[in-house]
Amino acid sequence: MVNIINRIRGLGAKKLSYAGRITLINSVLNTLHSYWATMFLIPKVRIGRVEAICRNYFWDGSPDYHIVPLVAWDRVTMPKDVGGLGVKKVENWNWAAVGKLVNWVYTKADRLWIRWISNVYLKEQDWQSYSPPADSPWTWKNVCKVKDKLKDGFGENCWLPNENGYTLKNGYKWLCTQQPKVDWCSLVWNSWNIPKHLIITWPIMQEGLNTRAKLFQIGFCEDNLYLICGDQPETITHLFYECHYSCRIRAALAVWMGRAFPTLTELQNGRTCSLQWKAMTMIFNVYLYTIWHQRNITRLHQSVVRPELLVAQIEEMAGRRGCSKAGPGMSNITNGWLSCLQ
């Protein structure tokens, strides 16, 4: 725990964006315990503490609990295609890692540890139905416990006769609850989108933003009105789609794009392999990020920027991103359309 907290407090980790924090959690924080996680099942209390530190750091940049998360951590640890952020779930990863020891026993790997286990505990017994004696070590009971949990997986996925056999990756994937893919997955996770914008789009799709209507329900605001227009509750629908302020911005962007501003339904049903669709999705993400950023400025500084200035900001960000993605592999029509957005 101390190592994880020290990594958070050092290396300027607090100043990272949400996208940077996700990268740090996956590549550093969730690997500090990986050595021990491959040897035995880490107690649930310790796993809970690790996940709490990672959760607090992701949402607040600190290992301590200060703010209420926008989205539950169980949702964050889901794969991206089912609505999560792809952060590893520590408990499932631990079970999958110990599963490699189970696989060694199944395949009778040429290892000294396997020979010792076979002579002392298994003694020609069937590994599939084996139960450890009451006086066996705690670590061996852990291996047997993981064997029972993964028993169906070894049978259903044919990990044993497979050329590659069991891997930590396919064990972890099997342990994660299988859920249907969300229809907005490609809208958020494609290579054209600017990473820092995704952490706004993602909670929007799950109704997770702390709008004034939401905060008013739990007693954090005196009223639920949107500060920019001042006459309607600040819901996600009103904030991004119905308010006259955002409508003026979308109308100006439609003129700039030379076509109607895309709706969420159109993007969800569009051809995700189309380069023009990716460009439209990127512009849509920039729009959502800019509106939310202006909303926060209004709340903190009681100042509202003219819609024309926000439109110019969106055009600049989207134009730069589109130009960086344009290349010889695109059709002349797509390249010409992107060049018009500069």
Side-chain angles (χ1 to χ4, degrees):
M1 302 301 164
V2 175
N3 289 338
I4 295 177
I5 294 174
N6 288 340
R7 292 297 179 95
I8 291 175
R9 290 175 175 167
L11 302 176
K14 185 175 177 63
K15 300 179 181 179
L16 292 175
S17 64
Y18 282 119
R21 292 174 192 173
I22 292 175
T23 302
L24 182 64
I25 289 171
N26 276 331
S27 61
V28 179
L29 302 185
N30 271 344
T31 60
L32 293 177
H33 61 276
S34 59
Y35 172 75
W36 303 107
T38 59
M39 300 172 65
F40 55 82
L41 294 179
I42 300 174
K44 286 189 176 182
V45 174
R46 297 288 91 191
I47 288 178
R49 178 58 178 153
V50 169
E51 291 192 332
I53 292 173
C54 292
R55 178 200 64 211
N56 296 338
Y57 169 66
F58 173 66
W59 291 113
D60 193 35
S62 167
D64 303 315
Y65 183 84
H66 293 131
I67 64 174
V68 178
L70 299 180
V71 181
W73 188 249
D74 285 342
R75 190 72 177 173
V76 175
T77 56
M78 289 182 179
K80 292 180 179 179
D81 58 352
V82 298
L85 290 180
V87 175
K88 285 189 298 187
K89 190 171 182 61
V90 177
E91 183 176 13
N92 285 351
W93 195 92
N94 186 195
W95 283 83
V98 177
K100 295 183 70 174
L101 303 181
V102 175
N103 184 59
W104 288 352
V105 181
Y106 267 119
T107 57
K108 298 180 180 180
D110 187 17
R111 297 174 180 271
L112 180 60
W113 179 76
I114 298 299
R115 296 176 191 171
W116 182 78
I117 288 297
S118 299
N119 291 327
V120 176
Y121 292 110
L122 289 180
K123 298 178 181 178
E124 304 301 328
Q125 297 183 62
D126 178 40
W127 176 228
Q128 189 80 359
S129 58
Y130 173 82
S131 296
D135 60 347
S136 57
W138 173 71
T139 51
W140 175 239
K141 289 181 179 179
N142 276 342
V143 175
C144 296
K145 188 177 180 180
V146 173
K147 181 261 297 182
D148 293 336
K149 190 176 184 70
L150 295 177
K151 183 185 298 185
D152 293 338
F154 274 95
E156 294 172 3
N157 296 281
C158 301
W159 288 332
L160 296 181
N162 192 322
E163 289 184 359
N164 299 322
Y166 176 85
T167 63
L168 196 156
K169 181 179 180 180
N170 57 36
Y172 177 80
K173 185 176 180 180
W174 184 83
L175 285 167
C176 292
T177 304
Q178 298 299 315
Q179 296 188 4
K181 293 184 178 181
V182 293
D183 53 7
W184 47 262
C185 173
S186 300
L187 188 151
V188 178
W189 308 111
N190 73 69
S191 59
W192 280 64
N193 292 336
I194 301 173
K196 72 175 182 178
H197 296 169
L198 304 183
I199 203 60
I200 299 300
T201 309
W202 178 70
I204 287 174
M205 297 302 161
Q206 307 191 64
E207 301 286 332
L209 289 183
N210 281 331
T211 59
R212 288 180 64 85
K214 184 177 179 180
L215 295 175
F216 178 72
Q217 290 181 345
I218 58 178
F220 272 55
C221 290
E222 296 179 356
D223 59 67
N224 62 355
L225 298 179
Y226 184 27
L227 295 178
I228 290 181
C229 66
D231 57 1
Q232 292 292 330
E234 186 188 86
T235 62
I236 288 179
T237 302
H238 179 75
L239 182 65
F240 296 104
Y241 308 113
E242 296 177 351
C243 180
H244 65 82
Y245 185 79
S246 56
C247 288
R248 287 178 59 184
I249 293 174
R250 291 200 309 277
L253 289 174
V255 174
W256 173 64
M257 295 161 57
R259 53 150 293 166
F261 192 82
T263 64
L264 181 60
T265 303
E266 290 174 350
L267 292 175
Q268 289 176 342
N269 298 331
R271 294 175 57 243
T272 58
C273 59
S274 165
L275 293 173
Q276 196 171 70
W277 177 89
K278 291 182 178 180
M280 299 299 297
T281 300
M282 177 264 295
I283 295 172
F284 185 77
N285 276 270
V286 175
Y287 162 77
L288 295 180
Y289 176 85
T290 306
I291 293 293
W292 183 250
H293 185 259
Q294 176 55 46
R295 175 263 186 195
N296 291 335
I297 290 177
T298 303
R299 182 176 63 86
L300 295 174
H301 304 293
Q302 289 76 49
S303 62
V304 181
V305 176
R306 295 201 316 272
E308 294 77 13
L309 296 180
L310 285 191
V311 170
Q313 293 178 19
I314 295 172
E315 291 176 357
E316 181 183 1
M317 283 190 286
R320 284 203 310 263
R321 186 67 172 182
C323 290
S324 69
K325 292 295 181 179
M330 297 184 184
S331 67
N332 293 332
I333 296 176
T334 302
N335 265 322
W337 183 75
L338 288 174
S339 65
C340 293
L341 297 182
Q342 299 182 45

